[in-house]
């Protein structure tokens, strides 16, 4: 009795092996992708060096502070870290104007991120004439698109983007795509955020951005 080499059973085993190896290769590729992005995210140090004074090495028409969550209509501790870096750069003369960005949170806030940030800067002594609010954006991409429009309206050509280090690489890549020239990003490390969460979340956000960029 001869065995049918092309029996349905043998075909199923063959396709199961193909599926197994394809899934294994896909899993390894996914792990490698996530690991490489995680490395980029966690090792980004910004294009504007965080030294005692940066005013001699970085100058721009404006700073752009990327939005983040408000707590009870006030900047969260993490957002305060970004604002405090912007304040230091402003006081050192790196820029004369500050654009604060971000729309209305879905966490019960009654003011936009931009408005909450503006109030914080005013409390720190920054004159209202030096602050411009961008209150419509809901993403980093929109933060920078809308800020770029404000810059064009004001005749400003250069900016220093202010954010956290885990967020800096994606912000820089978006700025490059939007033709910011030069791309200048100042980042701060966080002492209040749960970095394991934010670094992991940023891997997903960065992957989403790279996919979106292909269609822009």
């Amino acid at each position: 009795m001869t065995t049918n080499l092309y029996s349905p059973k043998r075909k199923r085993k063959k396709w199961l092996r193909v599926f197994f190896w394809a899934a294994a290769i896909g899993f390894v590729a996914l792990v490698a992708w996530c690991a490489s992005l995680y490395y980029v995210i966690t090792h980004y140090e910004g294009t504007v060096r965080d030294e005692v004074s940066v005013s001699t090495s970085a100058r721009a028409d404006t700073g752009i502070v990327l939005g983040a969550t408000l707590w009870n209509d006030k900047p969260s501790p993490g957002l305060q870290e970004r604002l405090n870096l912007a304040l230091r750069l402003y006081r050192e003369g790196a820029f004369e104007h500050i654009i604060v960005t971000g729309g209305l949170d879905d966490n019960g806030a009654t003011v936009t991120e931009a408005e909450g940030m503006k109030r914080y800067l005013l409390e720190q002594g920054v004159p209202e004439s030096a602050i411009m609010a961008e209150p419509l954006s809901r993403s980093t991409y929109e933060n920078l698109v809308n800020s770029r429009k404000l810059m064009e309206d004001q005749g400003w050509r250069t900016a220093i983007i202010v954010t956290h280090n885990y967020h800096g690489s994606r912000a820089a890549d978006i700025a490059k795509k939007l033709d910011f020239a030069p791309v200048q990003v100042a980042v701060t490390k966080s002492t209040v955020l749960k970095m394991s969460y934010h670094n992991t979340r940023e891997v997903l956000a960065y992957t989403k951005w790279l996919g979106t960029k292909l269609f822009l």
Side-chain angles (χ1 to χ4, degrees):
M1 180 177 179
T2 59
T3 302
N4 184 357
L5 297 178
Y6 299 99
S7 66
K9 185 176 181 179
R10 285 179 175 272
K11 287 182 178 179
R12 285 195 297 271
K13 287 183 177 179
K14 177 183 177 181
W15 283 112
L16 282 173
R17 286 195 296 269
V18 171
F19 175 80
F20 172 80
W21 283 109
I25 292 170
F27 177 76
V28 171
L30 178 62
V31 171
W33 171 264
C34 292
S36 62
L37 269 187
Y38 190 88
Y39 181 87
V40 169
I41 289 163
T42 55
H43 287 74
Y44 186 78
E45 296 182 350
T47 59
V48 177
R49 307 302 298 179
D50 187 14
E51 301 166 346
V52 175
S53 176
V54 299
S55 60
T56 58
S57 60
R59 292 274 184 167
D61 296 321
T62 186
I64 301 174
V65 188
L66 300 182
T69 304
L70 300 181
W71 288 5
N72 297 319
D73 292 340
K74 294 183 179 181
S76 62
L79 183 51
Q80 287 183 37
E81 290 178 322
R82 298 183 186 183
L83 289 165
N84 289 338
L85 174 56
L87 277 168
R88 182 166 71 82
L89 294 171
Y90 170 78
R91 289 167 177 164
E92 290 174 358
F95 41 74
E96 297 182 358
H97 306 91
I98 303 174
I99 298 175
V100 288
T101 67
L104 192 64
D105 283 339
D106 295 327
N107 62 354
T110 63
V111 299
T112 64
E113 292 175 0
E115 179 61 27
M117 296 159 74
K118 179 179 179 179
R119 292 178 182 180
Y120 181 86
L121 293 175
L122 290 172
E123 291 172 356
Q124 305 304 313
V126 180
E128 187 168 9
S129 60
I131 306 169
M132 182 166 290
E134 182 287 296
L136 302 177
S137 57
R138 302 300 296 269
S139 66
T140 302
Y141 177 75
E142 291 180 359
N143 287 161
L144 293 176
V145 166
N146 294 341
S147 293
R148 182 65 183 268
K149 292 177 181 176
L150 292 178
M151 289 173 61
E152 291 172 354
D153 290 343
Q154 297 297 317
W156 301 336
R157 300 183 62 184
T158 57
I160 295 175
I161 299 164
V162 180
T163 189
H164 280 99
N165 59 335
Y166 75 87
H167 188 217
S169 181
R170 178 162 59 99
D173 195 60
I174 294 172
K176 182 178 180 181
K177 180 65 177 178
L178 294 174
D179 295 325
F180 279 75
V183 174
Q184 300 185 97
V185 182
V187 297
T188 182
K189 293 181 179 180
S190 180
T191 61
V192 299
L193 297 176
K194 186 177 181 180
M195 295 312 303
S196 58
Y197 167 78
H198 285 281
N199 287 334
T200 302
R201 183 176 180 273
E202 184 63 16
V203 170
L204 300 176
Y206 211 146
T207 299
K208 179 182 178 181
W209 156 245
L210 292 174
T212 301
K213 185 169 70 167
L214 295 175
F215 301 95
L216 295 177

